[in-house]
Amino acid sequence: MSHEFEEIVTHALVRDITLPSDAGTLALITIDNGLDHTKPTTLGPQSMKEIKAAVEEVHARAARGEIVAAAVTGKPYYLAAGADLKAVATIATDEQARDLGHTGHEAYRLLGEMAVPTFAFINGAALGGGLEIALNCTYRTIASDVGGIALPETALGLVPGWGGAYILPRLIGIAAALDVMIARPAANKPLKAAEAAGLGIADILLEPADFLEQSLVWAAGVLNGSVTVDRREIESPEVWNATVRAARAQVDATVHGARPAPYKLLELLELGPDTSRDEGFAAEDRALEELIMSEEFRASIYAFHSVNAAKRPTGAPDPKLAQPITRVGIVGAGLMAAQLAFLFSQRLSVPVVMRDLDQERVDKGLQFVASPAEKLAGGKLKAAVADKIVAGVHGTTELGEFAQCDFIIEAVTEILPLKKKVFAELEQVISPTAILATNTSALSVTEMAADLQHPQRVVGLHFFNPVAQMPLIEVIHAEKTTDEALATAFAVAKKLRKTAVLAGDRPGFVVNRLLILLMGKIVEAIENGTDISVADRALRPLGLPMGPFALFDLVGPAVGLHVLTSLRQDLGERFPASPGLEQVVAEGARVSLPPVAKGLPAEVDPAAARFFGKETHESQRESLTEDEVLDRVLTALTAEIGMMLDEGVVQTPTQIDVCMILGAGWSFAAGGITPYLDRTGYSEKILGKRFHPQGIASVPAHV
């Protein structure tokens, strides 16, 4: 599993500062890797040695009475971004894994065991082991502009193992700590500074302009008694244990045993509030050792680095070929078009023209645009910014208003003749150099452009719904798409802050081809006699964010049926027909029940079974188990991925993993779909070879 890597060493620089109000001398440890903000401060083996040595030196000085306090802070924008995952991924033995936990505890716990108070001045992002530095201190200040406060370890196959699992619930309460260590990592929702201060992770929120100076004044106040900091009482064992039991039930209902890390964290918390620090830290060491050597962690690291590497997409042309975008046109004014209009106006800061056939549809589309702005203005966006985004979108019924646009994307109904008609009309009014994009989810971009005078400027730009939240864009290379058009599409995706993956112009591209096949195989099992609840539960070992029928309701059964039918026509009968799904669409029915509680996935409605199996002859009926349904799904997915790679839909299996992680919610802990199929033996059984012959230990250079 090990491979060579070169650590970017983070240094621990110590200097003495005379505190205001004659409060005495404070030893300030600055964590800094010597690089600018584009290279986050991370904590590898050599870095931890330097931090430990610095803390030990300060600890000794405190014991000798040379200082009245100690503090830790970071370089601009970062306290620390946590452990160096490249270094952790090289660990190959239990002993090395055990040493990692010991090293962190030995370095950090001295911050909480000095003869003088210790402070953390959180001036920037504090993630994982970076936040644990602060948690081990006695007091914490935080700058109000800090946006990344998190203990994300359970989403990466680990637990907070340098004091976080023990300290955080005793600091902010068991319920809040569970949210920070399990729920937020799963949703990729780090805390902002105000939230961290509100929970009690930080003791005071300070302005960033003179953050260090204010922190020193506040620290002096704590030392001379003019500032007091109240700490909450730790819950009773009864309340603590009941909260952890409820959390376990929630994890069971959402994770279904697919990922060990959340369960390992729960085991640490089940030790109870009366556990000593020594016992708690020793338990963290054991948990970290076990998880670092697990398949889940290796898969998580592969997924983490694959997604990060995708920011430099494989196959993308030279960015210098991209055309400047000064005005965007959007064809259609439905919900998807409105979401696109909002995003383009927000991120590109250029005028956006949204056109539909009549004023009523245009007005409705503009209302759709204003709706997210109003919601965001009450939260993430200031009202003035939201107003500017909405004002940047202009609605029209006039085709001629696209004449000044240099980038036009259509978002009309998924009917090929309609899309061809739209492009033919556009070509009569737009500049010959304008880029034409389609948001089609499955149709042939090549065929869409076939009758145009300039088919070379047509490119696919497949967004996922909801547009604002979903991070993936599939950039589709049609038969005649030029490098200039592709480069422009990638440049647009980057400005929209999306991850773009280049895909060939084959039916369904990547995500829809696999996701619809997966859903189709579930429906096929039910049509052939399998109990609907059994089929819905069959995918739980994959750790997907929701079951297939909840997903049907989310995307809309009509959309799912349309794509399934389209793929069946283009790719054959391995994409099954479903008379039952046709009936669901005809009646406009829902197939899942409302979640029984917030945060729990929706279950299939057993009554939906009435739609399926009516046309299956009794002699063809079979009642499969959950394991048998899952086997058929994984067999079909393995074969399909093999065909996709042979067809050149993408160049590497890792690109498929990135698409499924970012576009379909495939678990980081699974490492994406292809490592999962390797681990479970499906790739060798179905294809005769592994997708990753050398394993996934090596960090991908690019995808």
Side-chain angles (χ1 to χ4, degrees):
M1 285 289 184
S2 64
H3 56 275
E4 294 298 324
F5 97 103
E6 186 174 349
E7 179 181 354
I8 298 176
V9 178
T10 293
H11 305 286
L13 311 173
V14 183
R15 60 183 171 126
D16 285 355
I17 293 180
T18 301
L19 290 167
S21 305
D22 296 322
T25 299
L26 174 144
L28 179 64
I29 304 170
T30 301
I31 308 297
D32 190 347
N33 62 6
L35 303 173
D36 65 23
H37 69 279
T38 64
K39 300 292 184 183
T41 301
T42 55
L43 307 171
Q46 187 59 42
S47 305
M48 292 304 296
K49 287 180 182 178
E50 291 211 16
I51 291 172
K52 180 184 176 185
V55 173
E56 286 176 337
E57 175 195 343
V58 172
H59 186 272
R61 293 183 63 202
R64 295 194 297 268
E66 297 175 10
I67 55 174
V68 297
V72 181
T73 193
K75 72 176 187 181
Y77 305 106
Y78 285 97
L79 178 58
D84 187 329
L85 293 178
K86 291 183 181 180
V88 180
T90 65
I91 291 175
T93 67
D94 292 342
E95 183 179 2
Q96 290 174 336
R98 190 161 48 250
D99 287 346
L100 179 69
H102 285 320
T103 300
H105 281 131
E106 288 173 356
Y108 286 6
R109 72 178 300 163
L110 292 179
L111 291 167
E113 298 175 353
M114 283 198 192
V116 298
T118 55
F119 298 83
F121 301 151
I122 307 173
N123 64 304
L127 305 170
L131 180 55
E132 287 174 297
I133 294 175
L135 291 175
N136 276 274
C137 293
T138 320
Y139 303 101
R140 287 156 293 281
T141 68
I142 191 168
S144 61
D145 62 344
V146 173
I149 303 296
L151 292 176
E153 286 87 348
T154 56
L156 293 171
L158 299 175
V159 294
W162 289 342
Y166 180 84
I167 297 170
L168 188 67
R170 289 161 175 80
L171 181 67
I172 68 173
I174 184 66
L178 283 161
D179 178 62
V180 171
M181 293 190 287
I182 294 181
R184 282 181 174 271
N188 191 25
K189 288 180 64 176
L191 295 162
K192 293 185 177 180
E195 294 172 309
L199 288 174
I201 291 175
D203 297 310
I204 188 170
L205 189 70
L206 300 173
E207 289 303 309
D210 55 350
F211 172 69
L212 179 58
E213 290 78 3
Q214 290 185 69
S215 294
L216 293 170
V217 170
W218 187 84
V222 170
L223 294 170
N224 65 30
S226 63
V227 172
T228 58
V229 177
D230 295 325
R231 293 277 187 254
R232 60 175 292 134
E233 290 186 9
I234 300 174
E235 292 92 342
S236 67
E238 293 76 18
V239 172
W240 178 292
N241 293 332
T243 305
V244 176
R245 283 196 300 271
R248 180 174 283 276
Q250 181 97 352
V251 169
D252 282 336
T254 53
V255 177
H256 307 297
R259 298 189 286 118
Y263 291 96
K264 187 59 65 176
L265 176 65
L266 290 171
E267 289 176 16
L268 293 176
L269 298 176
E270 284 167 348
L271 295 174
D274 296 332
T275 304
S276 71
R277 182 176 291 248
D278 285 344
E279 292 169 332
F281 283 11
E284 287 181 358
D285 284 346
R286 292 192 296 271
L288 207 57
E289 175 188 345
E290 181 178 332
L291 290 170
I292 285 172
M293 302 307 295
S294 70
E295 289 182 338
E296 179 196 21
F297 175 65
R298 304 292 164 169
S300 297
I301 296 304
Y302 163 80
F304 178 81
H305 287 301
S306 296
V307 169
N308 280 345
K311 294 172 184 175
R312 303 178 300 279
T314 292
D318 187 337
K320 295 177 182 177
L321 295 174
Q323 297 179 194
I325 304 297
T326 60
R327 188 178 180 87
V328 171
I330 297 176
V331 184
L335 183 56
M336 175 59 81
Q339 292 182 76
L340 293 173
F342 183 92
L343 186 67
F344 276 94
S345 180
Q346 179 187 24
R347 298 279 164 78
L348 267 63
S349 299
V350 299
V352 176
V353 177
M354 185 169 63
R355 187 249 180 182
D356 216 315
L357 296 176
D358 58 62
Q359 194 60 44
E360 182 179 353
R361 295 182 190 182
V362 171
D363 290 342
K364 190 172 183 179
L366 292 174
Q367 290 174 0
F368 284 146
V369 173
S371 177
E374 290 170 359
K375 292 177 182 177
L376 290 169
K380 296 180 182 177
L381 291 181
K382 294 180 180 178
V385 175
D387 289 344
K388 183 179 179 182
I389 293 169
V390 174
V393 180
H394 168 61
T396 184
T397 60
E398 297 297 324
L399 189 67
E401 292 209 33
F402 287 134
Q404 303 303 314
C405 295
D406 29 43
F407 185 91
I408 303 99
I409 182 168
E410 68 78 21
V412 301
T413 307
E414 283 283 280
I415 300 173
L416 184 60
L418 175 61
K419 291 181 182 286
K420 287 172 70 78
K421 181 175 181 289
V422 164
F423 275 0
E425 292 174 344
L426 284 169
E427 201 168 40
Q428 303 307 309
V429 299
I430 65 174
S431 160
T433 60
I435 301 298
L436 277 176
T438 171
N439 184 45
T440 182
S441 59
L443 299 176
S444 169
V445 181
T446 298
E447 193 172 346
M448 210 177 294
D451 300 329
L452 297 178
Q453 297 174 16
H454 303 285
Q456 70 277 2
R457 43 103 167 263
V458 177
V459 62
L461 212 61
H462 178 213
F463 291 79
F464 292 80
N465 197 17
V467 171
Q469 281 78 45
M470 296 299 285
L472 178 70
I473 294 177
E474 292 174 328
V475 176
I476 313 305
H477 190 326
E479 184 179 308
K480 295 184 179 180
T481 306
T482 62
D483 283 351
E484 288 76 13
L486 277 179
T488 304
F490 277 104
V492 167
K494 184 175 182 179
K495 288 181 180 178
L496 295 178
R497 302 177 195 169
K498 303 291 186 182
T499 296
V501 174
L502 181 64
D505 188 18
R506 293 289 295 152
F509 315 129
V510 178
V511 174
N512 279 348
R513 182 161 168 179
L514 294 176
L515 199 58
I516 294 300
L517 178 63
L518 176 150
M519 296 164 71
K521 288 299 179 182
I522 293 293
V523 171
E524 181 182 51
I526 299 162
E527 295 277 15
N528 290 337
T530 297
D531 180 89
I532 194 168
S533 296
V534 169
D536 191 56
R537 292 194 300 266
L539 301 183
R540 287 181 174 178
L542 303 182
L544 297 175
M546 64 184 70
F549 288 94
L551 183 59
F552 266 126
D553 280 338
L554 178 66
V555 303
V559 174
L561 176 63
H562 172 79
V563 179
L564 178 61
T565 303
S566 173
L567 292 177
R568 180 178 173 81
Q569 291 171 348
D570 291 334
L571 296 173
E573 294 185 1
R574 66 183 184 272
F575 287 83
S578 177
L581 189 56
E582 292 173 8
Q583 189 64 32
V584 169
V585 174
E587 295 191 18
R590 288 184 61 85
V591 288
S592 63
L593 296 169
V596 296
K598 184 179 180 182
L600 294 181
E603 302 285 345
V604 67
D605 184 351
R610 65 186 175 88
F611 296 111
F612 300 96
K614 295 178 182 179
E615 299 184 18
T616 304
H617 191 274
E618 191 64 34
S619 63
Q620 297 176 309
R621 299 181 71 81
E622 56 180 352
S623 180
L624 302 178
T625 65
E626 292 177 25
D627 287 345
E628 289 170 332
V629 174
L630 180 61
D631 176 68
R632 293 194 181 186
V633 168
L634 295 178
T635 297
L637 291 176
T638 305
E640 200 67 31
I641 292 171
M643 284 184 272
M644 291 166 68
L645 292 170
D646 289 343
E647 293 167 18
V649 177
V650 290
Q651 295 181 27
T652 69
T654 301
Q655 289 173 291
I656 288 178
D657 295 325
V658 170
C659 286
M660 294 304 284
I661 289 167
L662 298 181
W666 198 275
S667 169
F668 259 72
I673 186 169
T674 65
Y676 181 87
L677 295 173
D678 279 353
R679 275 199 315 278
T680 52
Y682 278 89
S683 52
E684 289 183 278
K685 182 173 69 172
I686 305 303
L687 303 176
K689 60 182 180 180
R690 295 168 65 91
F691 291 114
H692 303 273
Q694 305 304 317
I696 56 171
S698 296
V699 176
H702 59 79
V703 297

